[in-house]
Amino acid sequence: MKLKNTLGIAIGSIVAVTSFGVLAQGQGAVEGELFYKKQYNDSVNHVEDGFNPGASIGYFLTDDLSLNATYDKTNHTRSNDGTGNQKIKGDNFGLNAQYHFGSVGDALRPYVSGGVAHKSMTNVIADGHSGRDQSTFLTAGAGVKYYFTDNLFARAGVEADYKLDNGKWDYAPTIGLGVNFGGSGGKVAPAPAPVPAPAPEPAPEAPVAEVVRVELDVKFDFDKSVVKPNSYADIKNLADFMKQYPQTTTVVEGHTDSVGPDAYNQKLSERRANAVKQVLVNQYGVGANRVQSVGYGESRPVADNATEAGRAINRRVEASVEAQAK
């Protein structure tokens, strides 16, 4: 009855512990288990088979490999075959490694195990004798764990014990109930995110060059190609601009009104354009190779040739120069 009460309390404690958020399988986990096994005592004469309760505690070195310390107690067996049917008690301490197959989080995880154990049993020789039989065993086992949750599991397996002093084997089918807590859950800690390099300073924008422009509009009298004195200041202004920006060139364009034959007006427009060019070159020193003159006759009016005022506007020479300011 005491054993039933003890197991009931232990199982209740295991279930309660599974409510804590720190529980986890995998590397770093601690595994606790209560188990019960059928012990076949073939290596010792005159000892019946028994049932041994026990417990183990283990630590997962990796997600798959655990190192476990175990203890079980012999207190449900007797001597036989003329030895007085005495109660036999004993203690069994062990250390083993378990290797689990599958992956962390699988419901079923088969395992194999191997290790060493030391057993001590009383009253195993003869009637009335209270001596103690002590032996060291090599252990090997296999089984499977079933995880009800990520952390609560049941285990079923079998263990074989090889007695070093007489070369005999004992066997023990086992069932158990246990919990895991404190592990990584099979997750690898993420590598720290690299610190981003500071963004490079934007290169200063190149200043946008300002475009400067000079325009020339010289008016002429009817049927004349002589530059009037009041236009010289405008021509000089254009010449000074071209000297300031020696890479510039210009086209001087001559025009007429619509009075007169087309051929005559074409020649007149060319003479007007050339007259302005000569002022630029000869009087104000602009290189002749930088000035081109062309006549368009009456083909490009900018005002109404039906009126005198419009015709006066059309009798003209135009030029323009533009450059990027320094």
PDB file of all heavy atoms in Angstrom, residues 12-21 23 179 181:
ATOM      1  N   GLY A  12       1.512  12.054  -9.879  1.00  0.00           N
ATOM      2  CA  GLY A  12       0.816  13.336  -9.812  1.00  0.00           C
ATOM      3  C   GLY A  12       1.777  14.502  -9.889  1.00  0.00           C
ATOM      4  O   GLY A  12       1.504  15.519 -10.538  1.00  0.00           O
ATOM      5  N   SER A  13       2.940  14.354  -9.248  1.00  0.00           N
ATOM      6  CA  SER A  13       3.946  15.416  -9.294  1.00  0.00           C
ATOM      7  C   SER A  13       4.485  15.597 -10.704  1.00  0.00           C
ATOM      8  O   SER A  13       4.712  16.718 -11.159  1.00  0.00           O
ATOM      9  CB  SER A  13       5.097  15.090  -8.331  1.00  0.00           C
ATOM     10  OG  SER A  13       4.606  14.994  -7.018  1.00  0.00           O
ATOM     11  N   ILE A  14       4.717  14.466 -11.403  1.00  0.00           N
ATOM     12  CA  ILE A  14       5.224  14.548 -12.780  1.00  0.00           C
ATOM     13  C   ILE A  14       4.242  15.297 -13.667  1.00  0.00           C
ATOM     14  O   ILE A  14       4.610  16.174 -14.448  1.00  0.00           O
ATOM     15  CB  ILE A  14       5.504  13.144 -13.330  1.00  0.00           C
ATOM     16  CG1 ILE A  14       6.722  12.546 -12.635  1.00  0.00           C
ATOM     17  CG2 ILE A  14       5.718  13.178 -14.835  1.00  0.00           C
ATOM     18  CD1 ILE A  14       6.968  11.104 -12.988  1.00  0.00           C
ATOM     19  N   VAL A  15       2.952  14.954 -13.574  1.00  0.00           N
ATOM     20  CA  VAL A  15       1.953  15.625 -14.400  1.00  0.00           C
ATOM     21  C   VAL A  15       1.894  17.104 -14.080  1.00  0.00           C
ATOM     22  O   VAL A  15       1.775  17.957 -14.959  1.00  0.00           O
ATOM     23  CB  VAL A  15       0.575  14.958 -14.224  1.00  0.00           C
ATOM     24  CG1 VAL A  15      -0.510  15.742 -14.952  1.00  0.00           C
ATOM     25  CG2 VAL A  15       0.611  13.516 -14.693  1.00  0.00           C
ATOM     26  N   ALA A  16       1.994  17.460 -12.792  1.00  0.00           N
ATOM     27  CA  ALA A  16       1.947  18.868 -12.404  1.00  0.00           C
ATOM     28  C   ALA A  16       3.142  19.631 -12.940  1.00  0.00           C
ATOM     29  O   ALA A  16       3.020  20.772 -13.391  1.00  0.00           O
ATOM     30  CB  ALA A  16       1.893  18.979 -10.883  1.00  0.00           C
ATOM     31  N   VAL A  17       4.307  18.990 -12.912  1.00  0.00           N
ATOM     32  CA  VAL A  17       5.515  19.676 -13.366  1.00  0.00           C
ATOM     33  C   VAL A  17       5.438  20.039 -14.832  1.00  0.00           C
ATOM     34  O   VAL A  17       5.988  21.041 -15.279  1.00  0.00           O
ATOM     35  CB  VAL A  17       6.756  18.783 -13.092  1.00  0.00           C
ATOM     36  CG1 VAL A  17       7.983  19.322 -13.803  1.00  0.00           C
ATOM     37  CG2 VAL A  17       7.018  18.710 -11.594  1.00  0.00           C
ATOM     38  N   THR A  18       4.696  19.235 -15.629  1.00  0.00           N
ATOM     39  CA  THR A  18       4.641  19.501 -17.075  1.00  0.00           C
ATOM     40  C   THR A  18       3.936  20.800 -17.411  1.00  0.00           C
ATOM     41  O   THR A  18       3.945  21.232 -18.554  1.00  0.00           O
ATOM     42  CB  THR A  18       3.933  18.350 -17.814  1.00  0.00           C
ATOM     43  OG1 THR A  18       2.593  18.241 -17.328  1.00  0.00           O
ATOM     44  CG2 THR A  18       4.664  17.052 -17.642  1.00  0.00           C
ATOM     45  N   SER A  19       3.307  21.444 -16.430  1.00  0.00           N
ATOM     46  CA  SER A  19       2.638  22.723 -16.718  1.00  0.00           C
ATOM     47  C   SER A  19       3.605  23.883 -16.749  1.00  0.00           C
ATOM     48  O   SER A  19       3.253  24.974 -17.167  1.00  0.00           O
ATOM     49  CB  SER A  19       1.557  22.988 -15.663  1.00  0.00           C
ATOM     50  OG  SER A  19       2.142  23.134 -14.377  1.00  0.00           O
ATOM     51  N   PHE A  20       4.848  23.704 -16.331  1.00  0.00           N
ATOM     52  CA  PHE A  20       5.817  24.794 -16.307  1.00  0.00           C
ATOM     53  C   PHE A  20       6.404  25.024 -17.683  1.00  0.00           C
ATOM     54  O   PHE A  20       6.706  24.094 -18.420  1.00  0.00           O
ATOM     55  CB  PHE A  20       6.948  24.497 -15.305  1.00  0.00           C
ATOM     56  CG  PHE A  20       6.483  24.536 -13.867  1.00  0.00           C
ATOM     57  CD1 PHE A  20       6.192  23.371 -13.203  1.00  0.00           C
ATOM     58  CD2 PHE A  20       6.320  25.746 -13.222  1.00  0.00           C
ATOM     59  CE1 PHE A  20       5.754  23.400 -11.888  1.00  0.00           C
ATOM     60  CE2 PHE A  20       5.885  25.777 -11.902  1.00  0.00           C
ATOM     61  CZ  PHE A  20       5.591  24.594 -11.237  1.00  0.00           C
ATOM     62  N   GLY A  21       6.591  26.310 -18.043  1.00  0.00           N
ATOM     63  CA  GLY A  21       7.077  26.657 -19.373  1.00  0.00           C
ATOM     64  C   GLY A  21       8.525  26.321 -19.620  1.00  0.00           C
ATOM     65  O   GLY A  21       8.983  26.385 -20.752  1.00  0.00           O
ATOM     66  N   LEU A  23       9.909  23.498 -19.400  1.00  0.00           N
ATOM     67  CA  LEU A  23      10.121  22.135 -19.867  1.00  0.00           C
ATOM     68  C   LEU A  23      10.506  22.123 -21.337  1.00  0.00           C
ATOM     69  O   LEU A  23       9.951  22.845 -22.137  1.00  0.00           O
ATOM     70  CB  LEU A  23       8.855  21.307 -19.668  1.00  0.00           C
ATOM     71  CG  LEU A  23       8.355  21.167 -18.220  1.00  0.00           C
ATOM     72  CD1 LEU A  23       7.117  20.315 -18.192  1.00  0.00           C
ATOM     73  CD2 LEU A  23       9.427  20.584 -17.337  1.00  0.00           C
ATOM     74  N   VAL A 179       9.637  12.907 -17.214  1.00  0.00           N
ATOM     75  CA  VAL A 179       9.533  14.262 -17.779  1.00  0.00           C
ATOM     76  C   VAL A 179      10.928  14.755 -18.177  1.00  0.00           C
ATOM     77  O   VAL A 179      11.941  14.301 -17.657  1.00  0.00           O
ATOM     78  CB  VAL A 179       8.918  15.271 -16.781  1.00  0.00           C
ATOM     79  CG1 VAL A 179       7.474  14.955 -16.493  1.00  0.00           C
ATOM     80  CG2 VAL A 179       9.736  15.320 -15.496  1.00  0.00           C
ATOM     81  N   PHE A 181      12.982  18.563 -18.829  1.00  0.00           N
ATOM     82  CA  PHE A 181      12.853  20.009 -18.631  1.00  0.00           C
ATOM     83  C   PHE A 181      14.208  20.681 -18.815  1.00  0.00           C
ATOM     84  O   PHE A 181      15.259  20.074 -18.610  1.00  0.00           O
ATOM     85  CB  PHE A 181      12.269  20.351 -17.251  1.00  0.00           C
ATOM     86  CG  PHE A 181      13.039  19.798 -16.094  1.00  0.00           C
ATOM     87  CD1 PHE A 181      14.017  20.539 -15.451  1.00  0.00           C
ATOM     88  CD2 PHE A 181      12.781  18.511 -15.626  1.00  0.00           C
ATOM     89  CE1 PHE A 181      14.715  20.024 -14.378  1.00  0.00           C
ATOM     90  CE2 PHE A 181      13.482  17.995 -14.547  1.00  0.00           C
ATOM     91  CZ  PHE A 181      14.456  18.756 -13.923  1.00  0.00           C
TER      92      PHE A 181
END
